[in-house]
Amino acid sequence: WEACSYNPVNEADFVAHHLGPILRDDHPDVKLFIFDHNKDHVITWGETILNSSNPASSFVDGTAVHWYAGGMDRLLDGAVGAPNMHRFVSTLKHQNISDSHLILGSEACHCPSTGYAGGDLKVGWARAERYAHTILADLAAGSNGWVEWNLVLDPVGGPNHLGNMCDAPLLAVPYRVGGSHNVSELPNFEHAGHPFGQVKGDTRTREELHAMGNPADYLDRGVVVQPMYYYMGHISRHVRPGSRAIHAIVDDCESGPQSRTFRQTVGDTIVAGGGINDVARVGVEATLWPCEGSTRQEWLLNDEDKLQVFGHDYLGKPTTSCLGHEPDKAFKGLLLTECDKAGIFKMQTLNETAGTVNAIVENADLAVGENCLVASPLEANGGAYGPRGGAQVRVGKCDQPSAAWKFRNKTGELISTFFEDYGGDTCLTTGWPFLQIGAFVDRNNGNEKKTMIVLNEAEDPANYIIRNGDGQIVMTNSIPGHSIQTVVL
C-alpha cells in the first residue's frame, strides 16, 4: 500500500515537531489519532507516543486500530487481539492519559471478494456474525467507535487498484434493475475483472437471493443489501453516540453443569451442541468464558496428550488444531496451533476431593513447578465483560490458584476454578462462545435507555433470562440459531 512507513519513535517525532503544531494552529477542530493499524502492536506505540515525557503526547486525541489479524489467513480477521484492547486500556490508565482519549476501530472489512460473488448464504451470514462479535468485543473493551471500511462496492468487491477485492454491506448491481439500461456488469473503471471466477450471485433469481437475506425490493433498485448491513444496524441504530458499555455476560445455566445452554443428551451420550466449531483454527486465541456446553468448549485429550479441537471454517473446509505451549509474542496468551507443534499436557491430581488437577505442560521449556497451564485474567478487569469474559491462558507456576482445573473427559470441558467466586463454571474456549451479549446505557436528553444486543452464532436456538445487577429477572426470551436480537429497556 502507498503509505508512510513509521515506527513509534519517528511517528512521535513527526507529530511533535510537524503535524501536531500545524493542526493545532490551523485546524484546531481536527482530531489526531495515532497508530491506525492492527491490534498486535498498539501497546508498544501507545507506551512510546503517549508517554507524558514525549512532546507528541500533548497533540494526540486518540488511537486508531484495525480489526485485521495481520497475516495471510483472512478468516482470522476480527478473531484475535481482544486481550490487547484490554491491555491497551490498562496502559492508558497507568500512564495517566485523560479519559477523553478516544479509541477508534478505524478499519474493518472481509476479504477476499464479496458474499454475493460467492453466492453462499453461510459465507454472507458468517461474515455478518463476525462483524457483530468484534464490534461488541471492542466496545466492551473500551473502544469508542467502529468503522466499516467500505460503504458500497461493485459485485466483485472493487474497484481497487491493487486487486485487493473485499466485501461491503452494500453492493452496487445496477444491471439487475428491470428493463434494458445498457448497464455493464462491472463499472468501466473496474480493471480487476473476475479474479475469483463467475459472480455466483448473478446466477440466482431475485427470489433465491431474497431467501438468502438479500431483500428483493432493493435488488430491483440495483442494490444488494447483505446480512452485514442488518447485523451492524442492530447495534448502530440503538447504541447511539454518548452510550456507554456496561457489565453484561452470558453466564452458566442456573441448573448447573448437567444442563448447559447448548448441551444435548442422546441416550446415555452427552453431546456438545451449537453446531460445528467454526473457530477451531490455527491462530485463534484460547480464552476462558462461562461454560455453555458447545463445541467451542469441547476438547479431546488425544493419545499424544494434546488438547485437540475439531470443526470447519465457514467456507466448509474441515479444520483441526491443538492448544499451543508457548505464548504468542504479540498477544501474550496461548493460541491454537498445528498439533505437531502443540503442548503435551499431563493431568496430575491436585485435590482428589475437589476433583482438581494441574495441567502440566511437559514440553514447555520451563523448570518443574513452573510449567502448568494457568488462567490469566484480562487487564482493566475485563472491561464490560468482567473477569470471565475472555481471560487468557498461559504457562506458569503450578502452586498458584490459577493453575487449578477440572477436566471432564465425558464432556471435553476444561474448567478453571480460579473464577468460582464470580459466577458459574468457566471453560477453556476456542476464541469466544457462540452465545454473546453486549449491554449499553444512554443517558442523553435526561433519560436513561438501556440496550442489550444478544448474538447467537450457533446453529441451535437458545433460551435466556436477563437479570439486573440485583439478580432480579428483567425478561425471559429465546433466540433462534444464527440470529441477532436487540432489546431496548
Side-chain angles (χ1 to χ4, degrees):
W1 294 103
E2 304 87 339
C4 300
S5 180
Y6 284 117
N7 61 38
V9 174
N10 60 36
E11 182 169 290
D13 181 72
F14 177 66
V15 168
H17 303 295
H18 302 280
L19 182 61
I22 291 174
L23 282 181
R24 178 169 293 177
D25 291 342
D26 297 347
H27 303 281
D29 294 334
V30 174
K31 294 190 180 299
L32 177 60
F33 288 77
I34 61 167
F35 191 54
D36 199 34
H37 201 50
N38 307 331
K39 297 170 183 174
D40 46 2
H41 297 130
V42 62
I43 297 162
T44 301
W45 289 63
E47 288 176 339
T48 300
I49 300 176
L50 301 178
N51 190 299
S52 58
S53 64
N54 193 315
S57 63
S58 64
F59 297 102
V60 177
D61 298 290
T63 302
V65 293
H66 296 178
W67 91 320
Y68 308 107
M72 296 308 295
D73 186 352
R74 302 311 302 266
L75 296 187
L76 290 179
D77 290 345
V80 296
N84 265 15
M85 292 289 285
H86 295 278
R87 198 170 288 118
F88 182 65
V89 169
S90 180
T91 297
L92 296 179
K93 292 181 179 179
H94 290 157
Q95 294 189 174
N96 295 316
I97 303 300
S98 169
D99 290 341
S100 64
H101 186 92
L102 299 172
I103 303 173
L104 177 63
S106 59
E107 182 180 319
C109 70
H110 283 285
C111 305
S113 197
T114 68
Y116 176 80
D120 189 333
L121 174 63
K122 291 182 178 179
V123 173
W125 223 264
R127 287 183 169 187
E129 290 175 344
R130 181 65 59 84
Y131 263 12
H133 158 72
T134 308
I135 294 171
L136 294 178
D138 280 4
L139 295 179
S143 177
N144 299 98
W146 200 90
V147 179
E148 151 69 55
W149 192 27
N150 302 303
L151 173 65
V152 59
L153 295 173
D154 65 33
V156 298
N160 186 289
H161 69 297
L162 293 181
N164 183 42
M165 319 308 287
C166 295
D167 216 340
L170 304 176
L171 303 176
V173 288
Y175 52 89
R176 291 198 69 121
V177 176
S180 178
H181 300 282
N182 296 319
V183 178
S184 64
E185 177 187 343
L186 295 177
N188 56 15
F189 47 81
E190 174 62 86
H191 303 296
H194 296 84
F196 302 101
Q198 183 183 22
V199 176
K200 294 181 181 178
D202 287 346
T203 68
R204 299 188 183 276
T205 66
R206 65 189 295 276
E207 289 74 21
E208 288 173 326
L209 290 169
H210 183 82
M212 293 174 61
N214 310 126
D217 286 348
Y218 292 107
L219 287 168
D220 292 342
R221 292 167 172 81
V223 179
V224 177
V225 183
Q226 301 199 99
M228 284 187 287
Y229 177 85
Y230 294 103
Y231 269 67
M232 291 179 67
H234 266 272
I235 304 171
S236 64
R237 293 180 184 180
H238 300 282
V239 182
R240 303 303 299 160
S243 300
R244 297 287 182 181
I246 56 177
H247 175 65
I249 194 166
V250 179
D251 210 338
D252 195 5
C253 282
E254 287 187 323
S255 50
Q258 301 307 315
S259 181
R260 306 281 196 221
T261 303
F262 293 111
R263 180 171 293 162
Q264 304 171 13
T265 301
V266 181
D268 296 329
T269 303
I270 294 176
V271 179
I276 295 175
N277 183 355
D278 58 354
V279 288
R281 189 173 193 83
V282 171
V284 168
E285 294 173 279
T287 57
L288 292 164
W289 291 83
C291 301
E292 65 174 10
S294 78
T295 54
R296 290 187 177 179
Q297 297 174 340
E298 183 183 36
W299 300 82
L300 171 69
L301 187 62
N302 66 22
D303 293 339
E304 297 178 340
D305 291 327
K306 296 178 179 181
L307 288 166
Q308 189 170 7
V309 289
F310 303 87
H312 65 56
D313 59 35
Y314 60 69
L315 298 177
K317 180 181 178 181
T319 60
T320 185
S321 53
C322 292
L323 184 62
H325 67 281
E326 296 180 347
D328 182 78
K329 293 180 179 178
F331 299 133
K332 309 301 181 185
L334 298 184
L335 308 181
L336 300 183
T337 187
E338 295 90 349
C339 288
D340 59 357
K341 301 177 182 177
I344 299 173
F345 295 89
K346 177 183 178 183
M347 302 298 171
Q348 180 172 291
T349 300
L350 185 61
N351 185 316
E352 190 169 353
T353 302
T356 55
V357 298
N358 279 146
I360 299 173
V361 190
E362 295 195 315
N363 57 340
D365 189 18
L366 296 166
V368 174
E370 298 182 354
N371 60 336
C372 282
L373 187 69
V374 299
S376 180
L378 293 170
E379 295 192 30
N381 201 35
Y385 285 151
R388 296 188 301 147
Q392 295 182 288
V393 289
R394 301 180 185 175
V395 180
K397 294 183 178 180
C398 300
D399 59 356
Q400 55 187 336
S402 58
W405 302 84
K406 295 179 181 178
F407 183 61
R408 295 178 172 153
N409 269 306
K410 194 172 183 180
T411 63
E413 292 174 324
L414 187 59
I415 301 170
S416 171
T417 65
F418 186 63
F419 301 99
E420 287 183 334
D421 293 339
Y422 294 94
D425 291 340
T426 306
C427 280
L428 185 65
T429 306
T430 56
W432 57 91
F434 281 118
L435 191 61
Q436 304 151 64
I437 188 171
F440 307 87
V441 62
D442 181 354
R443 295 188 175 95
N444 293 322
N445 303 319
N447 299 314
E448 180 174 280
K449 184 186 78 170
K450 292 180 180 177
T451 301
M452 283 148 286
I453 313 296
V454 183
L455 173 65
N456 184 11
E457 297 185 36
E459 294 179 12
D460 302 328
N463 300 320
Y464 64 87
I465 300 172
I466 294 177
R467 296 180 182 272
N468 63 18
D470 297 325
Q472 298 174 321
I473 294 177
V474 176
M475 66 172 289
T476 61
N477 201 9
S478 63
I479 181 170
H482 295 298
S483 297
I484 187 170
Q485 291 178 347
T486 300
V487 179
V488 179
L489 300 178

